[in-house]
Amino acid sequence: MLFLQIIILYEIKVSALARWVKFLINLRGNRVECLLRKYSLEAGFMMFQTTLVWFRNDLRVFDHTALQEAVRFGLPVVGLYVFEPIESVHSEGGRRRRVFVHQCLSELQSRLAEKGVPLFVTVGLAEQDVPAFAREIDAIYVVCASADEPEAVNQENMIAARLIEDGCRFKAVNDHVLLSKFTLADSEGRPYTEFQVYRKAWLAASAGMVWQASDDWQTLARLQTGLSENLTIAPEIPSLAQLGVADQSVTVAGGEQAADELLAEFLLRMGDYHPEQGLSVKCNESQLWPYLRFGVLSVRYVIDLIKNKSASGAGERLDALIRREFYHQLIYHYPNVLRESFNPKYRNIVWENNPVYFSAWQQGQTGYPLLDASMRYLNQTGYLPDELRNYTAAFLTQILLCDWRLGAAYFAGQLLDFDLAVNNGSWQDAAGVGTKAFRPEQMMHPVFAAQKLDPAGQIIRRYIPELAHMPKDFIHMPWLAKGNMNTNNYPDPIVEYASQREKALVLYGAG
């Protein structure tokens, strides 16, 4: 007490006092905090330093790594989200993502407000808005979830440099994957580039990990009592019109409540799927991906739930999540995969890129029913089961002989859950030019693969109504029944598989 009175009496500089206040506040004693506020107000000082949480693809409150890290810094917490032009609204997928994120932010702002944390939302560039907002709220720390994609990593570094210039500390924490990009490496310190090897290492590294929520809401509530009055209530988030998007619905609702409900349903139905049934049971599972993509669900929590499930199919779902982490560490360590094939053997392929074929593939008019149903499914909803994503990618590259980058870019413009790392890695592996090399004996046959994926033709009947009346024996090959049944002007196959296979073998250097 005497020390504080001496400081006030001699009018030590505000910055020096602030450092002492911060030191004492970090003691986290209620009595000390009250005394500090009392004497700072008597001295005429505004002592409202904060920690800023920059929300990115972690739009939730539950098990939020950056938020809980901010709590440990011992200062009042303020949130910020920046809508950036990188989320283009000139594509259907870009508009879908904006609407979905807008819904997530609306709920997130309300949930954070219940905990005394204001969430401010701006429209601009994060490299400008984050440092500027940090200065405005006198942030001592800025914390966020780390990224793996090259542009996002560069942006992170730029923001960190500007914050450091302002005397603010920056910390990026791992949140979007269970094991960060630096966790797994071979004996020589190199990242794994074969999925099965990575998977084995991932399972070993995560075997002893026990998930439990570390949410410290009690400490957060106490910290928020020290928040400056002008920061306690954040303005409403910008409207969709201000974001350049017409008010439209998306096929899945944004927000933690919707995510939790879908996750519960997913876990209950996990054992329903059997390979011989095809994909009809799994069609709704892909709806879970947008919530993981934007961090509305904690991936740690989801993985833990699946690991502890004994239902058939749990291993398959876990593998999908491990592969997601594999692609994320791959894009960080090998950013060139965004421009070229990971496998150097296939970097000089001269793709045919027939514009008529590519257009037919986009519109679902190739004459191959499951392919066309899949593309219409994607175009109408913005999502697709993983198996159909692989099917459509292999079809475009190995049968229509179009560059995988064209297909990856089209998916980026359609998917609600577009994830740069996963989209890139999946496309390269489906094409046979990535970490999974092309093998002639494994080349997909469009009809046989379709019969396995959708044996009863349920997906086809749903998205190609002109073929809904076709019997099971002909629905995958309607051209065989054309003389006896009305196919409602559904097109004949745009290419003949056998001849395209021979071209593909030459193209891949396997002929």
Side-chain angles (χ1 to χ4, degrees):
M1 181 71 72
L2 179 60
F3 181 68
L4 287 174
Q5 290 173 335
I6 292 172
I7 291 176
I8 295 169
L9 183 62
Y10 286 93
E11 296 183 344
I12 301 298
K13 290 183 179 180
V14 173
S15 59
L17 178 59
R19 285 195 293 272
W20 280 103
V21 170
K22 179 189 162 189
F23 170 76
L24 291 172
I25 285 180
N26 281 339
L27 295 177
R28 300 188 182 185
N30 287 332
R31 181 171 178 274
V32 173
E33 287 184 20
C34 290
L35 286 172
L36 287 171
R37 291 196 191 98
K38 175 179 182 293
Y39 283 101
S40 64
L41 289 173
E42 288 177 359
F45 297 132
M46 297 301 292
M47 310 261 292
F48 296 112
Q49 293 174 327
T50 63
T51 294
L52 174 62
V53 176
W54 171 29
F55 285 82
R56 303 173 83 183
N57 295 316
D58 47 354
L59 306 181
R60 67 182 187 280
V61 173
F62 172 71
D63 188 37
H64 193 283
T65 312
L67 180 60
Q68 294 305 317
E69 185 69 19
V71 171
R72 285 187 281 273
F73 289 145
L75 293 172
V77 178
V78 177
L80 174 68
Y81 182 87
V82 183
F83 270 110
E84 297 189 89
I86 192 171
E87 272 297 325
S88 172
V89 295
H90 301 298
S91 67
E92 188 62 32
R95 289 188 288 273
R96 286 170 177 146
R97 293 189 286 273
R98 283 251 154 151
V99 174
F100 182 78
V101 169
H102 190 272
Q103 293 178 357
C104 292
L105 287 171
S106 296
E107 183 178 313
L108 178 62
Q109 190 180 60
S110 297
R111 291 196 174 202
L112 286 172
E114 292 172 359
K115 300 185 181 301
V117 178
L119 176 64
F120 292 78
V121 179
T122 65
V123 181
L125 299 173
E127 55 266 32
Q128 297 174 2
D129 287 8
V130 173
F133 191 72
R135 286 192 297 271
E136 184 178 337
I137 65 170
D138 197 14
I140 301 301
Y141 300 98
V142 173
V143 60
C144 71
S146 63
D148 302 323
E149 298 87 351
E151 285 190 14
V153 171
N154 290 338
Q155 184 186 64
E156 231 173 74
N157 294 335
M158 189 183 305
I159 289 172
R162 291 179 178 177
L163 289 169
I164 291 171
E165 287 178 1
D166 292 340
C168 183
R169 295 184 181 182
F170 176 81
K171 185 171 184 179
V173 296
N174 180 60
D175 183 82
H176 65 288
V177 291
L178 180 67
L179 301 182
S180 80
K181 50 189 172 277
F182 304 115
T183 303
L184 303 178
D186 63 19
S187 58
E188 297 182 5
R190 296 174 301 190
Y192 294 111
T193 58
E194 294 181 24
F195 175 68
Q196 291 303 327
V197 179
Y198 176 87
R199 176 182 177 277
K200 183 178 180 180
W202 189 98
L203 289 171
S206 65
M209 298 178 68
V210 179
W211 179 88
Q212 58 181 8
S214 58
D215 299 333
D216 188 353
W217 303 127
Q218 185 176 359
T219 299
L220 177 63
R222 180 169 51 79
L223 292 175
Q224 295 311 97
T225 62
L227 191 63
S228 175
E229 187 175 346
N230 62 312
L231 292 176
T232 54
I233 300 178
E236 291 185 4
I237 65 175
S239 66
L240 286 173
Q242 290 174 300
L243 298 173
V245 181
D247 190 1
Q248 64 184 66
S249 61
V250 286
T251 49
V252 291
E256 283 187 82
Q257 181 176 344
D260 291 342
E261 291 173 358
L262 188 63
L263 177 60
E265 181 185 353
F266 163 75
L267 293 169
L268 285 173
R269 299 186 62 198
M270 186 181 293
D272 291 350
Y273 171 71
H274 300 283
E276 64 273 10
Q277 295 177 330
L279 289 174
S280 58
V281 176
K282 296 184 70 178
C283 283
N284 290 332
E285 287 188 11
S286 58
Q287 294 181 2
L288 206 61
W289 287 116
Y291 299 105
L292 289 168
R293 161 67 178 84
F294 292 104
V296 188
L297 284 172
S298 161
V299 70
R300 291 176 294 277
Y301 181 56
V302 174
I303 286 175
D304 187 69
L305 291 174
I306 292 176
K307 272 188 165 186
N308 288 287
K309 271 285 190 179
S310 58
S312 61
E316 179 188 358
R317 276 57 165 210
L318 182 60
D319 277 358
L321 291 169
I322 299 173
R323 189 175 292 276
R324 173 179 176 268
E325 304 208 356
F326 173 67
Y327 288 142
H328 270 273
Q329 62 93 33
L330 196 72
I331 203 172
Y332 177 81
H333 294 290
Y334 302 96
N336 62 301
V337 296
L338 292 176
R339 302 182 301 275
E340 60 188 8
S341 301
F342 178 81
N343 192 328
K345 179 181 178 181
Y346 303 112
R347 289 176 185 167
N348 296 320
I349 288 181
V350 181
W351 302 94
E352 289 188 2
N353 292 336
N354 185 313
V356 174
Y357 293 175
F358 184 60
S359 178
W361 176 85
Q362 288 176 305
Q363 297 171 29
Q365 293 289 342
T366 66
Y368 286 90
L370 186 60
L371 184 283
D372 294 340
S374 299
M375 294 306 295
R376 297 182 195 186
Y377 184 1
L378 171 67
N379 295 338
Q380 291 175 31
T381 67
Y383 53 89
L384 204 57
D386 291 344
E387 291 85 349
L388 292 183
R389 298 187 194 202
N390 292 333
Y391 177 81
T392 55
F395 191 101
L396 179 69
T397 54
Q398 297 180 13
I399 296 174
L400 298 183
L401 310 181
C402 291
D403 195 327
W404 62 269
R405 284 161 285 216
L406 293 175
Y410 186 74
F411 268 41
Q414 292 294 327
L415 286 171
L416 171 62
D417 60 17
F418 171 65
D419 180 315
L420 182 62
V422 176
N423 191 57
N424 179 275
S426 298
W427 266 92
Q428 290 208 33
D429 281 350
V433 301
T435 61
K436 187 186 297 182
F438 175 81
R439 293 184 181 181
E441 68 274 12
Q442 294 180 350
M443 186 174 170
M444 181 190 74
H445 189 294
V447 176
F448 297 160
Q451 290 172 330
K452 182 177 180 180
L453 290 168
D454 188 23
Q458 290 176 297
I459 298 172
I460 295 172
R461 297 179 205 282
R462 180 174 180 180
Y463 290 98
I464 308 183
E466 59 266 42
L467 297 180
H469 63 288
M470 299 290 289
K472 174 182 175 181
D473 293 341
F474 290 100
I475 197 164
H476 290 286
M477 297 174 287
W479 57 89
L480 296 181
K482 201 167 186 179
N484 302 314
M485 300 188 68
N486 181 9
T487 57
N488 296 309
N489 296 317
Y490 180 73
D492 288 331
I494 197 170
V495 294
E496 195 271 325
Y497 170 72
S499 61
Q500 291 301 107
R501 173 181 166 82
E502 293 305 314
K503 289 182 181 181
L505 294 177
V506 174
L507 194 70
Y508 282 88

